[in-house]
Amino acid sequence: MATSISWKLNVSIPSGPSLALSSAISVDAYDRIAVTVPTAVAPVEVEVDVQPGAVGRVRFLVVRSDIYGDNLKYKVHATGNPEQTLNDTLILVGAGSLGLLGAQVDKLIFINTLGHDANLEILVGRQAA
């Protein structure tokens, strides 16, 4: 049974423009995942499954952390893929936006060398077929 994920975003620039955006996306299932990525001097990869079964069905992804920085990284799908920096909240809605990750979005791999553990919250919405 499909469910709707509603989202809102307010952007405001002092003495500049303001944008108020909102929409909803229909998904068949969602997961809310909490994971702690321990800090390490030598990089340690923490793998998080976000899409069970066949890949290519994720339609909504939010990744937020209680700490950010240039030494909190993630990869998509495989350890050999390029690292991206998680230096703020990641929000992607729709197949086109998720396609920017450039790989099959079935798992995220996190690496933390910030000096403090990073507590992540991941919200993922996906299609069943």
Side-chain angles (χ1 to χ4, degrees):
M1 180 177 186
T3 189
S4 181
I5 297 176
S6 299
W7 59 270
K8 294 180 183 182
L9 175 67
N10 291 308
V11 178
S12 179
I13 301 172
S15 301
S18 295
L19 299 173
L21 309 169
S22 65
S23 190
I25 188 164
S26 179
V27 298
D28 294 323
Y30 71 90
D31 286 306
R32 184 177 181 185
I33 304 164
V35 63
T36 297
V37 182
T39 190
V41 176
V44 175
E45 295 183 342
V46 175
E47 192 173 291
V48 179
D49 290 322
V50 296
Q51 172 61 61
V55 298
R57 297 181 179 160
V58 174
R59 296 293 180 264
F60 182 88
L61 179 67
V62 174
V63 180
R64 71 177 185 172
S65 179
D66 64 345
I67 187 170
Y68 295 98
D70 291 339
N71 290 325
L72 180 58
K73 311 264 185 192
Y74 69 96
K75 301 176 191 179
V76 180
H77 179 66
T79 59
N81 283 341
E83 291 182 352
Q84 304 297 324
T85 300
L86 186 63
N87 56 7
D88 212 325
T89 303
L90 175 67
I91 304 170
L92 297 170
V93 180
S97 295
L98 281 146
L100 293 172
L101 294 177
Q104 301 173 12
V105 184
D106 58 347
K107 59 185 155 187
L108 300 174
I109 302 160
F110 295 95
I111 304 105
N112 176 10
T113 57
L114 287 169
H116 301 281
D117 290 354
N119 297 300
L120 304 181
E121 182 178 17
I122 302 167
L123 185 60
V124 58
R126 60 187 181 279
Q127 300 304 110

